[in-house]
Amino acid sequence: MWNDIYYFIMVPMVYIAFATFALGILFKFAVVAFSPGIKGKLGAYPRRLPRPLGVVKEAFAVPVAFRKSKVFWFFIVAYHLSFALLVIGHLELIDEFAALQVIPHQVFLGAGWVGIVLMVSTLYFLFRRFRYPYNAISVPEDYLILILLFFALFFGSHMNLASRHLDFMFDVSKMRDYLQSLIALRPVLPEDIVSSYHNIMLALHVLFANLFLMLFPFGKMVHSVFAFCTLNLKRK
């Protein structure tokens, strides 16, 4: 029975999660595209920079958050920088990219600190939602998606740290075989991935990541997909 559950999490559920994510994002784009236009302009003043530079500055430096709370700004920047490194790490888990090894490093980048920073940042965002006035504008999905993200990060970081500091041998080549087989729509679960004790952590990591992906298009985090469009609209 465990093998069936494990296989479902590692193969069919991954396809279901990515299909839900992609269709959900397309649905959100359709909702935006077919919504009635806004009369007037939403431009924010004063404009100290031309539109492209202003959009880039607001997206990456987040000056609005800096003026509101230095602590909030710190966690926003730390979270987004770490998340970018996490995406790079997962790309390297799929295949080798010579351009990403300009500075030679072990997969993942950051020696385990990327996951720790992301977990701490996610907990900050979660507990911040329990405080007034943020709790007044939060709905259950806002808490749920942060909890799912935290557990996906927790189990992923557990494997990364165990491979660096304990006896857990994280076989990157076997993981590449598994991920590339998923992409090729010919899924294979290598024996080394199925049998290891620590790979219970892998199943839990993938389970929570799947649930996070399925919920993402329908929560507030989807704002990240529309961030540049929104910032551009504000400067029209």
Side-chain angles (χ1 to χ4, degrees):
M1 182 178 177
W2 162 246
N3 288 340
D4 293 337
I5 296 172
Y6 190 87
Y7 183 82
F8 175 76
I9 292 171
M10 298 294 291
V11 179
M13 192 178 181
V14 173
Y15 287 125
I16 294 169
F18 274 91
T20 306
F21 175 83
L23 292 174
I25 295 296
L26 286 176
F27 172 73
K28 288 292 183 181
F29 271 109
V31 169
V32 172
F34 292 103
S35 295
I38 299 173
K39 295 179 180 178
K41 294 186 176 182
L42 299 177
Y45 293 90
R47 295 174 181 170
R48 296 187 175 90
L49 291 172
R51 190 193 304 176
L53 291 178
V55 169
V56 170
K57 179 187 174 185
E58 285 197 47
F60 291 101
V62 209
V64 175
F66 186 79
R67 288 192 293 270
K68 185 176 181 63
S69 164
K70 305 298 185 288
V71 175
F72 183 47
W73 175 85
F74 172 80
F75 279 109
I76 286 178
V77 173
Y79 174 85
H80 286 90
L81 286 176
S82 300
F83 201 86
L85 294 176
L86 187 73
V87 171
I88 291 172
H90 281 80
L91 288 176
E92 290 189 292
L93 208 54
I94 295 173
D95 206 347
E96 290 184 12
F97 295 92
L100 298 178
Q101 284 288 344
V102 174
I103 301 175
H105 60 269
Q106 180 182 341
V107 179
F108 287 77
L109 279 163
W113 284 104
V114 168
I116 292 171
V117 170
L118 280 168
M119 282 192 290
V120 172
S121 301
T122 302
L123 286 177
Y124 170 79
F125 296 138
L126 176 62
F127 288 114
R128 181 174 175 270
R129 286 210 167 270
F130 286 97
R131 293 168 44 204
Y132 184 82
Y134 312 108
N135 56 357
I137 57 173
S138 298
V139 294
E141 301 94 281
D142 299 332
Y143 301 95
L144 178 60
I145 197 165
L146 288 170
I147 291 170
L148 293 175
L149 176 60
F150 173 79
F151 279 113
L153 293 167
F154 175 81
F155 291 115
S157 292
H158 172 92
M159 288 187 295
N160 188 21
L161 292 172
S163 69
R164 290 174 181 275
H165 304 293
L166 301 175
D167 60 348
F168 173 49
M169 297 298 294
F170 187 78
D171 193 330
V172 174
S173 65
K174 297 295 182 184
M175 282 302 299
R176 281 182 180 151
D177 292 343
Y178 160 65
L179 292 172
Q180 289 177 2
S181 74
L182 283 179
I183 294 170
L185 302 181
R186 288 177 294 189
V188 174
L189 277 175
E191 182 64 24
D192 291 352
I193 287 182
V194 177
S195 59
S196 169
Y197 163 77
H198 286 283
N199 287 323
I200 294 174
M201 298 297 162
L202 175 62
L204 291 171
H205 170 63
V206 175
L207 171 66
F208 283 105
N210 287 340
L211 294 172
F212 172 79
L213 279 176
M214 287 190 280
L215 187 59
F216 180 89
F218 311 103
K220 289 189 176 71
M221 278 193 177
V222 78
H223 79 274
S224 57
V225 177
F226 297 95
F228 286 96
C229 298
T230 307
L231 293 174
N232 184 57
L233 187 64
K234 282 175 59 181
R235 304 184 75 85
K236 274 189 174 180

